Amino acid sequence: MDKIHVTGNGPLRGVVRIAGAKNAALPVIAAGLLSAEPLSLANIPAVKDIDTALQLLELLGCKVERDGDALSIDSSAVDAVRAPYELVKTMRGAILLLGPLLARFGEADVSLPGGCAIGSRPVNEHIAGLEAMGAEINIEGGYIQAKATRLKGAHFAFDIPSVTATENLMMAASLAEGTTVLENAALEPEVEDLGRLLNSMGAKVSGAGTGTLTIEGVERLHGASHRVPPDRIETGTFLAAAAATRGSISVLDTRPDFLQHVLAKLEATGATVEVGDDWIKLDTHGRRCKAVHVSTAPYPAFPTDMQAQFMALNALAEGTATVIENIFENRFMHVAELQRMGADIELQGHTAIVTGRERLQGAPVMATDLRASACLLIAALAAEGETTIDRVYHLDRGYANIVDKLAELGAIIHRA
Ligand code: EPU
C-alpha cells in the first residue's frame, strides 16, 4: 500500500493551480443519467472518487470518454439500474445516482452506503424526499429499491439541509410531473452549480443556492456542456498548509467568493490575504500563526471539510483555540494521530481544545478519511523530522496530484 513520506522543512512558497471541485463534479456526472443526449463536462478533477463514479456509470451502461480534464457521458444505452455495494461503500457520493435513475428509468437499486470514518451518515432525507414525490421505496438486503411510474412534484422541507439530498431531489424533480418546492435546502455552491447545469439541459430550476428551490418538471432533458467550478476545499487546504508552515503562496484558478469564512479565519491567524477574481495570495511574512476558533456549520459558515486542516494549523499556532464540529459526529479521528506527533489537544465531545506547539515531531501516522489525510500532511510539512502517512488512498479520493503540487511549493515529499 502506498505511503507518503514528508520531511518537515519550513515554509511553502510559490504558486499552485486548483482543480475542479470533486463535490461539484459528482452531482453533474450523476446528472448525465437524466438525458439520452450526451453531456460534455470540463474541469473534472483527476481524483479516485471521480474514477469510481465513472465506473458506476459504465456498469449501468453509459458510454464514458475522458480526455484530460474533459469528460463526455452518453447514457442513451443504459440497461441497468443497480449501483453495487462494492463501489458505493468506497464512495458515498454514489447516492447521487438514486434520484436520476428513478426519475428517468422509473427504477433504482442503489446500495445503502453504510457508516464511515466520520459518522453514521444516514440517507433518510434522500428517501423521505423521493417518497414525498410518490416513489415506493423498500430497503432490501442493504439496497435502496425505489420505483415510480413517474415522480410527482411535491412540497418537501428538509429537516437537515443535506447537500447531496438537495442535489438528488433537484435532479429527480427536474423530470417529475408538476412543480416541486424544496425548503431548508442546502446553500452550498455545488448545489447552485448543479442548478446551472440542469437549466442548461432544459430543466426549470429556480432558487438553487438559496434555502427554497422551485423546480418545474419537464418531459425530457437534452444534452449540454458545462465547466465544473474550482475546488474550494482544495483551495483552503493549500492556504492552511501555507499558513501552518509560515509560508507565502498564490493560489490560482480558484473562487475566493466560495471561501469567505475560511479566508476571514486565515486573516485572523495574522496572515495577509489578498484576492482577485480567480486568485488568492496568502503571506505569513514568516511569522507563526495565531490560534483561531472555528465552528463548523452549513455554507456559507465554516465548512466541516476544512475542520481537520485548521486543527493542524491550531496545533502549530500561538495560543489556545477551540475547534467545534457540528456536522458529523465522529470527525475527530485525526486528533489521535496529531497527538502522536506531539500536539496538545483535549477532546470534550464535539469540541477540541487545541494549544499550539512551536513544533510538532515527525512520526508514522495513519490517514482515516479524506480531510484527516490533509490535516496530517499539513502537520507533517511543519514538523521536525520525517513523517510517514499510511493509507493515503483516502487522500487520492479527493486531491489531484497533491504530492507534486506540494513538491512544487518546496516541500520535501515523496510517495513510495
Ligand atoms: N444527514 C441526515 N440524513 C440524510 C442526509 C444527511 O441526517 O439523509 C445529516 C448528516 O449525517 C450530516 C448532515 O446531515 O450530519 C449533513 O450531511 P450532508 O448530507 O450535507 O453531507 P453529504 O451530502 O453526504 C457532502 C459532501 C461532504 C461534505 C458534506 C457537508 C459530497 C459528495 N459530499 O456530503 O464531503 O462533508 O456535504 O458539507 O458532496 C468530503 O469531500 O470530504 C466530504 C465528506
Side-chain angles (χ1 to χ4, degrees):
M1 207 179 286
D2 279 13
K3 292 185 179 161
I4 290 177
H5 299 271
V6 183
T7 306
N9 71 319
L12 292 183
R13 283 204 186 94
V15 174
V16 63
R17 283 183 188 277
I18 296 305
K22 164 184 85 83
N23 289 347
L26 290 172
V28 300
I29 286 172
L33 285 168
L34 289 168
S35 165
E37 292 177 23
L39 192 62
S40 299
L41 301 173
N43 209 25
I44 296 291
V47 299
K48 188 76 176 77
D49 273 6
I50 300 295
D51 301 345
T52 307
L54 298 181
Q55 236 177 308
L56 277 161
L57 287 196
E58 283 178 328
L59 267 184
L60 300 173
C62 295
K63 212 170 133 226
V64 167
E65 277 176 34
R66 205 167 169 186
D67 180 10
D69 73 0
L71 172 67
S72 75
I73 298 168
D74 175 348
S75 69
S76 57
V78 167
D79 56 2
V81 293
R82 186 175 172 89
Y85 178 61
E86 292 65 38
L87 289 175
V88 178
K89 72 175 181 196
T90 67
M91 205 265 297
R92 309 179 51 86
I95 191 72
L96 287 164
L97 302 178
L98 182 62
L101 281 174
L102 184 60
R104 174 145 164 247
F105 304 102
E107 219 184 332
D109 191 7
V110 176
S111 170
L112 276 168
C116 76
I118 64 177
S120 62
R121 304 187 72 181
V123 291
N124 56 304
E125 297 278 343
H126 302 247
I127 292 175
L130 292 171
E131 281 178 340
M133 295 172 74
E136 202 182 294
I137 299 186
N138 290 305
I139 308 295
E140 291 237 3
Y143 280 73
I144 307 166
Q145 298 185 337
K147 280 200 166 80
T149 343
R150 185 168 177 204
L151 291 169
K152 293 195 175 36
H155 198 124
F156 182 76
F158 292 97
D159 285 331
I160 296 179
S162 159
V163 178
T164 49
T166 303
E167 293 164 347
N168 239 334
L169 296 189
M170 279 164 81
M171 292 190 278
S174 294
L175 285 179
E177 189 185 330
T179 301
T180 299
V181 178
L182 301 176
E183 293 201 72
N184 195 26
L187 311 179
E188 270 68 4
E190 295 76 27
V191 172
E192 194 178 348
D193 181 64
L194 175 64
R196 246 188 317 269
L197 165 78
L198 291 171
N199 286 341
S200 66
M201 293 172 77
K204 295 186 175 157
V205 178
S206 63
T210 74
T212 305
L213 279 106
T214 305
I215 303 137
E216 236 179 274
V218 296
E219 288 279 336
R220 62 183 56 78
L221 295 172
H222 51 72
S225 299
H226 184 76
R227 185 175 175 83
V228 170
D231 197 313
R232 61 194 168 100
I233 306 301
E234 187 195 12
T235 303
T237 300
F238 277 104
L239 293 172
T245 57
R246 308 183 191 191
S248 162
I249 67 167
S250 295
V251 181
L252 308 184
D253 298 341
T254 188
R255 283 279 301 264
D257 53 327
F258 290 168
L259 279 150
Q260 292 196 5
H261 205 105
V262 171
L263 296 182
K265 289 292 171 187
L266 288 167
E267 275 191 313
T269 68
T272 309
V273 177
E274 285 174 69
V275 303
D277 283 348
D278 63 353
W279 57 266
I280 303 167
K281 185 171 168 11
L282 178 140
D283 193 347
T284 59
H285 308 283
R287 291 194 293 263
R288 184 178 175 200
C289 287
K290 293 200 262 301
V292 286
H293 298 288
V294 298
S295 179
T296 68
Y299 190 83
F302 190 88
T304 173
D305 290 345
M306 282 301 300
Q307 176 259 107
Q309 299 87 321
F310 269 67
M311 189 81 79
L313 187 63
N314 278 327
L316 288 151
E318 206 179 302
T320 298
T322 51
V323 175
I324 305 175
E325 174 56 54
N326 296 304
I327 305 290
F328 293 112
E329 70 274 19
N330 190 27
R331 211 174 196 180
F332 275 156
M333 300 281 275
H334 42 285
V335 168
E337 300 302 300
L338 285 177
Q339 285 167 334
R340 300 192 59 257
M341 299 177 74
D344 180 351
I345 304 174
E346 189 193 322
L347 281 186
Q348 289 180 1
H350 290 267
T351 302
I353 302 158
V354 192
T355 301
R357 287 259 156 92
E358 177 91 37
R359 272 295 195 207
L360 296 177
Q361 287 103 45
V365 290
M366 196 172 76
T368 48
D369 72 73
L370 173 55
R371 309 304 170 188
S373 320
C375 155
L376 297 177
L377 257 185
I378 293 172
L381 292 167
E384 227 160 44
E386 189 177 281
T387 298
T388 306
I389 306 175
D390 201 352
R391 304 205 178 163
V392 294
Y393 54 83
H394 290 294
L395 199 64
D396 298 334
R397 287 189 40 215
Y399 289 96
N401 306 319
I402 193 163
V403 168
D404 294 344
K405 286 181 175 183
L406 286 171
E408 276 284 305
L409 295 171
I412 304 179
I413 182 168
H414 72 277
R415 198 175 172 123

